[in-house]
Structures are given as C-alpha cells and as structure tokens.
Amino acid sequence: MEAQLHDSLVTLFESKLSTQMLLNLETCSRCGICTPACHAYASMPLAKYAPAYRAEVVRRIYKRYFTKQGRFMPVLGEAKDITDAALVELKEAAYSCTGCRRCMVYCPFGIDTQQIMSIAKLLLIGAQAEPETLSMLADMSVSKGENIDALKEGFLSGIKRLEDQVVEKWRSQGEHPIPTDVVGADVLYVALAGAHSIIPAAAVFNAAGEKWSLSFFEAVNFGAFVGDPTKTRLILDRIVNEAKRLKVKEVCICECGTAVRVAKQLKDAPFAVVGLTEMHARYLRQGRIKLRKLPGSYTYHDPCQIARNGGVYDEPRYILRHLVEDFREMSPDPKYNWCCGGGGGLVAMGEETLEFRMQSAKVKAEQMRGSKAEVVVTACENCHTQLSDLNRHYALGQRVVFLSSLVADALIP
Amino acid sequence: MSTIAYAKELDLRNLPCPMPVVKISKGIKEVAVGEVVKAITTDPGALTDFPAWAKTSGHQILETETTGTEVNFYIKRLK
Amino acid sequence: MATLYYLILAPMVYLAVAVSVLGTLWRIARLLRAPAAPPPPPIYPSRKPSWLFALGDALLLPSVFKHNAPLWAALGLFHLGLAALFLGHLELVADFKALQLIPHSIFLGKGLIGLTVLVCLMYFLCRRMVSPTKELSVPEDYLLLVLLLFTVLFGAQMDWARTWFGYSSMGVDEYRGYLSSLIRLKPSVEGVTSAGHSFMLVAHVFFANLLIMAFPFTKLMHAIFTFAMNKFRRG
C-alpha cells in the first residue's frame, strides 16, 4: 500500500472517532456473549461471523494507531497496520454484517457493531475498494438530486401511466390519484422506484382522504448502504428540500427500513417523519379507512431498521389484527427476531451476494417455516426481496407480501 | 417501434428496488463499447434513475420509448 | 532482597496508583474531548427512565443471564467477590462504622472469597481456551486473567500461609499498619517484610500494582465505560 493512501486512511479513521465511537471501540471485553446473536454465525458457525470478531477486525487497527497499548505493546491486543490484506478483512467483516443490531441486544455493554462497521466501510471507500454497485447507486441518487428539473418530465409521464392502474383497481379515486408537486400538502410520500411501492400507498392515501403529494425522489439511501456520510446527507437533503419547498407537515417514508431509519434521524426538520406502516395504523385508529378480513394464515417479519432500531412493533400488529383472523408471531419476542439477512446493502448488490445471503440466513428460513403461516408479511423492500429469495431457495412454499399491499387490497370503499 | 439495432435485451420488468439499475449497469458491460442494450422497464422511477445513472456512469441513452405500461431504454455503451 | 521488597511495597504502589489515576482521567478526558456525532437510534422497545434501566443493565447484566446463565453466575460471583475484597481492604485502612452494619471481624486473607474469585477466574480462563471465545481472544485477555489470578492467589491465601508458622507471625495488625502508613504517605514496611510468609504479601502487592497500572490501558476500563455504553443503548 502506498504511504499516501495509508496516511489518508488513518486520517479517515480518525474522522470517525466521536465519543460514542470511542466507547464502542474501547469497551469490549471479548466475552463472546454476542456470538450466537448474529444470524450469519447461527447459520454458519465460523468465528469470522461472530460480531465481536468483526468488530475486532476494525478495533485492531484502531489500537495500532490510536491507543498507547497498540503503539507500545501491539502484541497485547494484536494491533494491526492498515495494509492491503487488512482491507480484504475489513471488506469481509463489513459486508457480511447486515447492520441489524441484534448483537447489540445481547452485548452486556450494548456495543454497536454496525457503528464499528461504518469505519470499515469508510476505509474501503477511501481505498476505492467498496462494492462498486453500491457506489454506483449512491452516485446515481446524488445525480438525480442535482438534475431533477431535467428529469421531472419523464417521471411525471411514468406516474400518469400508473394513475390508470390505480383508477382501474380502486374506482372512485378521482382523476389524478397520484398527485405530485402539491404545495401545501399535508404529507409528502417518498416511495421507491417501483410501481409496487406507489400504487397501493396511493390507494390508501386517497381512501383516507389525505392531502398528499408524491416525492420525485426515491426513499432508499444508497449512501447509507455504502457507508458514505457525505452522500448519505446529499441523498437525504433532496427529500428535505422538496418537503420544505412544498411546506408539508409530515414526510411519510415508504416500506424501506434504511430509508425510514435515516429519515427519522433528522434533527430540527420543520416536518415530522413517519413510516408508511405507522400512517396506515393511524388511519385505522382514526376510522379514516376500513378493511375487510383476508383469508389465510399470516406471520409478520419485523424489519430490523423499523422495529429493533425504530420502535415500530405495535403498529403492524394492530393493522394485522384488523386484516386477518389467523396471525402467528414469528419470534416469541419480536426484539429477537432474526434479521432477514439482506440488509446493509447486501440485497442491493443483487446476485453477487445471493449465495452468501442464502447461506447466512438459514436460521431465518427456518423461522419462516416454523411459523407455519401461508403468508409472510413484511414492511421493507430489502426484507421482501430477501425473504422472497429465501422462500424460493429453501422451497418454503409461502407467499411473501408487503403489508401496505394487503391494506390496499382489503380497503372497503 | 424504435428502429435502433441493439446487441442485448434486458427484461427489467417488475423488479424490486434497485434491481433495474443494478442489472443495467452489469448488462451494459456485457456488450462491446459502441453497442446498444435495450432495457424493458415498468417502474416509473426508471424514468429518472436511468438518465441519472447514464450521466454518472458515462453511457448514452439514445431513445426512450413508451409502449403501454412499459418503457424501453436504448442505451449505448460509451466506455 | 529488602530493597526489592521496599521498592515493591512503597514506591511501586504510589507509581501504580499515579499511573492508574492519571491514565484513567486521560482516557475519560479523551472521550469527552472527542467530537459529538449524531447518535444512532437506541434499541427498542425502550423503557423509561432509561438511565435506571441502563444502570440495571450495567450492574445486573440481564442480557448475559438470558443468553449464558453459567457465565452470568460466574461473572456475578466474580464481581461481587471483587467488591467484597475492596471493602475488606478498606477495613485494613481504618475502622469504618458503615462497614460494621453486620458486625464481623476482619475477613480479608482468610481465603473464602478469594477462592471463589479464583474458581471464577479459572472458569474465565478455560472459557477462553475453547472455541468460539478462543478466536475472539487476544493476549491481553489471558494476561489480565493471569495477573488477576496471581494477585488473588497470593492475597487470599495469606491466612493459610500463617498456619505454616503457627499464627505467630505477621497478621492483621501488621497489614493494617502497612496499608494505613501508605495512605498517610509515610510508608512503613518493616512490619510486613520480615515474616516467613512476607513473600506472599510482596507477590500480592506486586501483581496488584501491575493490574492497577494496566487498568487505564486495557479493557479493564469497561468497569467505567459500561454505564455510558448502556445509556446509549437505552437512549
């Protein structure tokens, strides 16, 4: 490794050393309680998948450059230099961690492995060794924000075609069931690129009589996946600026765990941030929408970023109580629900991570099968894709659906 | 119908986020520089994603063609 | 030999305490000086008041109890044992009324608590020799356990060592004289260096000095950091 690159990586590492990060790096006693918490370890019991081991890959570099022990007695903590080999280790650690933070529930100190992995991801960016796909996606998102005026027209023509589908399925939804650019709307809905993330949501907003507007931007933050704080902020700013321009009271994020988490971390915004599931639960509580019961047996997969890391446990269950007669919990305590195995950008990398995703989420597949439900419901795009892949790979014979789609399908006009 | 000749066709209909962009960025590398890929999409987001992706990755969208619920992109590999 | 004993029992103790206190303060100051970054979300469901539950997490280790009950029992005994030994040492410094709520004679050096702690330490050590904890461990983890083991071994068996000499030499009064002289900054080691089992005390103090010095530069700092960490998790 060239000296200049080495030095720049050390500086990059230092830029991540906030008070909380230092605590995360300095408190671990390597007791190993976290080991069985990771779905990857539980599915493939290799030491490299133990959360404390992953964290130690970063911590060894930290010790070498930023602690007295590492400088004067590196052997004690096996402190390590930043080398090309270290980068390979960092990549494996960071991109086999989905950032689900289940290990954080086990740890007696509450060490945040995902935070520590954010250092690994930043170093990989600095060395231009990050997964190309994630960088490409983040760059695309940033570029979209910079060129939105030129791109608007194409987007609006796409939305026009979707409107016909909404009207066809849910009559009495008006002539323009997918409003955009509505100044003074109460809610700005931020969806994903796919029609499945827009059509059902539109149907429910309209049924609830919501004054809403569809965002020009997609909710998912690829900057967060690749671990680039600058791009994360730029991608989020596109939505913040649009919300400010339209003077909305609330920004509603679609069923995308990362997007919900990143947006909810906004401080001092002149609008509130809610997830689509919370919005639908609110409409139900206020009697603004009515649902018919759907046949079949159902279970719910709590997306980590929405439940364990976002606190939304009750809302999906409240909705499901109105939707189905036969609901079965997937995990006795939802806080311990297994991660789907697709977070942290793994699903976004597509087929290049498929084999690992299927192997590392074997425990998730067993949990799905164990629920004995015909339908697995979830509220996150990543989880949906991963659970669908697991369903196919392990021949579970279940149906994986979005909660919002169920709500839209069950609407009573 | 477009008359642009293409070397590869990619069916990107009804894929989850962000697969259309992921697959086109991989697919374009499977044709030679100067050749064209035809991508069939159904996502409204593709109409902003694809031009933004083409701009950042240095490829050229020759034509965007709408047929019913589908949008076809003809993208030339430039590098 | 007398000089060596003196160096370990007096100057080295002061050095160890100084290194430990200054090092700990430096570590804490470094944390406080570090830039604040937007905190990641806590773990849900959250419970209020979060500080109280965080304190409970730090002191009672409920997650360890849930996921590894034998380890929890060993950690509990070990840490309670350390706390009892700390109080026992305070009793050697002076008579504190608060410590006599349950009337008792000086228990330090009798070996019971020390033996319990020793068994726990052996368990921790063996645990680290087996996968998957083996792969997580670094030399520091073993070294600290060995240091603790030696410190406790020589300290706890002082009373047993006295039996070699029919309880005729160095006992509680001498330990008291030595420790309180250290506190008064007028170290007097004569009473504890001439007995047949003085080497036990010297070895105990030597390993304790190393441990005290290691405190700020090793993972032992978890004893302090655990409160802040658990508060972050609780939000």
Side-chain angles (χ1 to χ4, degrees):
Chain A
M1 182 179 285
E2 285 174 24
Q4 198 184 352
L5 174 62
H6 170 272
D7 295 349
S8 73
L9 293 181
V10 175
T11 310
L12 216 47
F13 199 127
E14 196 169 10
S15 73
K16 293 288 282 183
L17 297 180
S18 63
T19 302
Q20 195 166 356
M21 187 65 89
L22 285 172
L23 281 167
N24 276 314
L25 288 166
E26 298 194 347
T27 310
C28 184
S29 63
R30 290 171 288 277
C31 66
I33 294 284
C34 58
T35 304
C38 179
H39 61 276
Y41 184 89
S43 300
M44 293 185 279
L46 299 172
K48 63 181 176 179
Y49 297 135
Y53 188 95
R54 272 181 229 281
E56 205 62 19
V57 171
V58 176
R59 194 174 284 116
R60 285 174 189 185
I61 295 172
Y62 167 73
K63 288 182 218 175
R64 164 67 185 80
Y65 296 97
F66 304 104
T67 71
K68 295 276 176 274
Q69 189 207 78
R71 276 185 207 160
F72 299 115
M73 279 188 278
V75 65
L76 276 186
E78 294 181 0
K80 258 189 178 175
D81 283 308
I82 300 180
T83 58
D84 290 325
L87 286 176
V88 172
E89 260 195 304
L90 286 171
K91 192 166 187 174
E92 182 160 23
Y95 287 100
S96 60
C97 171
T98 58
C100 74
R101 307 210 302 169
R102 193 170 185 269
C103 51
M104 205 172 156
V105 186
Y106 278 56
C107 175
F109 308 113
I111 292 170
D112 190 340
T113 312
Q114 186 192 28
Q115 279 295 100
I116 298 178
M117 289 305 104
S118 76
I119 297 178
K121 288 188 169 185
L122 192 62
L123 294 184
L124 290 168
I125 293 171
Q128 295 185 320
E130 79 280 20
E132 207 182 307
T133 305
L134 294 182
S135 258
M136 176 276 291
L137 289 166
D139 290 341
M140 177 203 74
S141 290
V142 173
S143 164
K144 221 156 107 175
E146 289 165 351
N147 300 286
I148 190 60
D149 289 335
L151 300 171
K152 254 183 196 174
E153 203 182 321
F155 182 71
L156 291 175
S157 69
I159 293 301
K160 193 100 208 94
R161 284 198 320 279
L162 285 193
E163 289 193 316
D164 298 339
Q165 294 179 45
V166 177
V167 174
E168 194 183 319
K169 190 163 177 190
W170 293 275
R171 299 183 193 287
S172 75
Q173 288 254 340
E175 264 184 60
H176 296 296
I178 307 180
T180 50
D181 230 0
V182 182
V183 178
D186 287 333
V187 173
L188 175 68
Y189 174 59
V190 195
L192 296 171
H196 62 276
S197 146
I198 301 172
I199 293 176
V204 179
F205 281 129
N206 295 331
E210 189 63 85
K211 195 177 170 196
W212 70 290
S213 185
L214 176 69
S215 171
F216 288 115
F217 301 104
E218 80 287 351
V220 60
N221 198 315
F222 296 114
F225 280 151
V226 75
D228 188 325
T230 313
K231 285 178 186 166
T232 304
R233 186 71 225 181
L234 281 171
I235 292 168
L236 183 60
D237 277 350
R238 307 168 317 163
I239 298 164
V240 172
N241 293 338
E242 189 183 17
K244 283 181 179 167
R245 185 173 60 79
L246 300 181
K247 300 185 174 64
V248 296
K249 292 180 190 134
E250 278 182 306
V251 167
C252 177
I253 306 289
C254 66
E255 291 170 309
C256 173
T258 308
V260 170
R261 175 164 161 187
V262 172
K264 280 196 172 184
Q265 279 184 271
L266 265 176
K267 291 275 176 289
D268 308 321
F271 50 80
V273 175
V274 287
L276 190 59
T277 308
E278 293 161 272
M279 204 60 141
H280 287 176
R282 188 199 297 171
Y283 292 157
L284 263 178
R285 283 201 180 98
Q286 294 174 343
R288 289 167 72 178
I289 56 170
K290 294 209 163 16
L291 305 176
R292 65 186 168 85
K293 293 266 179 170
L294 301 172
S297 54
Y298 295 77
T299 186
Y300 180 71
H301 164 77
D302 281 290
C304 302
Q305 305 308 344
I306 291 174
R308 192 182 301 115
N309 302 323
V312 180
Y313 289 106
D314 297 338
E315 289 84 349
R317 288 166 177 79
Y318 177 78
I319 296 169
L320 283 163
R321 276 204 298 279
H322 284 78
L323 264 178
V324 304
E325 297 285 2
D326 185 353
F327 174 67
R328 303 156 186 202
E329 279 291 356
M330 189 175 270
S331 163
D333 180 349
K335 186 168 75 171
Y336 290 104
N337 186 40
W338 285 114
C339 170
C340 68
L346 292 189
V347 158
M349 283 189 261
E351 279 162 20
E352 56 185 288
T353 59
L354 185 65
E355 194 184 341
F356 174 75
R357 284 192 282 122
M358 294 303 100
Q359 287 176 356
S360 62
K362 192 165 146 254
V363 286
K364 183 76 229 180
E366 285 161 5
Q367 202 181 32
M368 287 165 74
R369 183 182 277 131
S371 74
K372 296 193 170 70
E374 293 157 6
V375 185
V376 178
V377 187
T378 193
C380 166
E381 180 89 357
N382 249 334
C383 299
H384 185 277
T385 306
Q386 167 76 357
L387 298 177
S388 303
D389 287 344
L390 287 173
N391 190 31
R392 263 191 305 276
H393 183 83
Y394 289 97
L396 301 176
Q398 293 169 308
R399 199 155 60 86
V400 182
V401 299
F402 286 108
L403 183 56
S404 66
S405 302
L406 286 185
V407 172
D409 286 346
L411 279 174
I412 300 173
Chain B
M1 285 291 281
S2 173
T3 53
I4 297 173
Y6 52 88
K8 188 178 178 72
E9 183 179 288
L10 287 174
D11 182 357
L12 307 176
R13 284 175 292 187
N14 300 313
L15 289 178
C17 158
M19 285 312 132
V21 180
V22 172
K23 286 187 184 281
I24 186 65
S25 76
K26 292 204 188 306
I28 198 96
K29 288 176 190 153
E30 289 165 16
V31 300
V33 173
E35 286 186 329
V36 175
V37 173
K38 176 186 178 185
I40 309 167
T41 70
T42 44
D43 294 341
L47 286 151
T48 47
D49 284 356
F50 276 49
W53 163 78
K55 193 176 161 85
T56 53
S57 56
H59 302 297
Q60 185 188 2
I61 298 182
L62 299 175
E63 192 180 326
T64 307
E65 171 189 61
T66 307
T67 57
T69 57
E70 289 164 12
V71 178
N72 303 329
F73 293 91
Y74 293 86
I75 306 156
K76 186 176 180 182
R77 180 174 178 183
L78 292 185
K79 57 180 192 183
Chain C
M1 193 57 106
T3 313
L4 183 65
Y5 274 17
Y6 177 77
L7 285 175
I8 290 171
L9 292 177
M12 192 185 177
V13 177
Y14 291 123
L15 177 74
V17 172
V19 167
S20 189
V21 170
L22 292 176
T24 304
L25 290 176
W26 171 74
R27 287 273 305 261
I28 294 172
R30 182 166 172 248
L31 278 183
L32 297 176
R33 274 204 320 270
I43 290 290
Y44 292 95
S46 54
R47 297 176 79 178
K48 303 286 174 196
S50 59
W51 67 267
L52 188 64
F53 282 94
L55 198 64
D57 290 343
L59 296 176
L60 303 175
L61 314 177
S63 68
V64 185
F65 178 69
K66 189 175 171 77
H67 303 295
N68 192 336
L71 179 61
W72 179 82
L75 285 170
L77 279 176
F78 171 74
H79 284 95
L80 284 175
L82 286 190
L85 293 175
F86 177 75
L87 294 179
H89 281 81
L90 277 187
E91 288 187 333
L92 288 189
V93 176
D95 291 320
F96 293 101
K97 274 190 187 150
L99 296 180
Q100 283 297 335
L101 282 176
I102 305 166
H104 62 273
S105 57
I106 299 269
F107 64 86
L108 208 64
K110 297 273 167 62
L112 184 67
I113 296 176
L115 264 181
T116 312
V117 171
L118 273 178
V119 171
C120 295
L121 285 168
M122 289 303 293
Y123 170 66
F124 298 149
L125 205 53
C126 293
R127 225 184 131 251
R128 287 209 179 271
M129 293 175 185
V130 182
S131 287
T133 321
K134 183 174 75 176
E135 284 83 356
L136 301 178
S137 303
V138 296
E140 173 192 341
D141 302 322
Y142 298 99
L143 194 73
L144 286 175
L145 284 175
V146 169
L147 269 182
L148 267 163
L149 210 113
F150 281 151
T151 306
V152 178
L153 188 71
F154 287 110
Q157 300 315 316
M158 222 95 95
D159 195 69
W160 174 58
R162 285 187 75 198
T163 61
W164 306 337
F165 310 99
Y167 283 102
S168 63
S169 68
M170 189 171 74
V172 168
D173 291 341
E174 283 79 14
Y175 307 151
R176 253 192 173 169
Y178 161 62
L179 201 54
S180 51
S181 77
L182 279 181
I183 303 279
R184 289 197 311 273
L185 303 181
K186 288 178 182 161
S188 154
V189 302
E190 287 77 24
V192 291
T193 50
S194 53
H197 67 294
S198 284
F199 76 94
M200 297 276 293
L201 180 83
V202 175
H204 170 67
V205 173
F206 175 72
F207 289 115
N209 284 342
L210 291 182
L211 255 184
I212 292 169
M213 276 193 275
F215 185 84
F217 306 105
T218 58
K219 64 173 189 176
L220 294 179
M221 286 294 282
H222 73 258
I224 291 174
F225 293 158
T226 180
F227 299 102
M229 281 302 299
N230 272 299
K231 180 67 176 67
F232 276 123
R233 169 168 54 184
R234 289 285 184 177

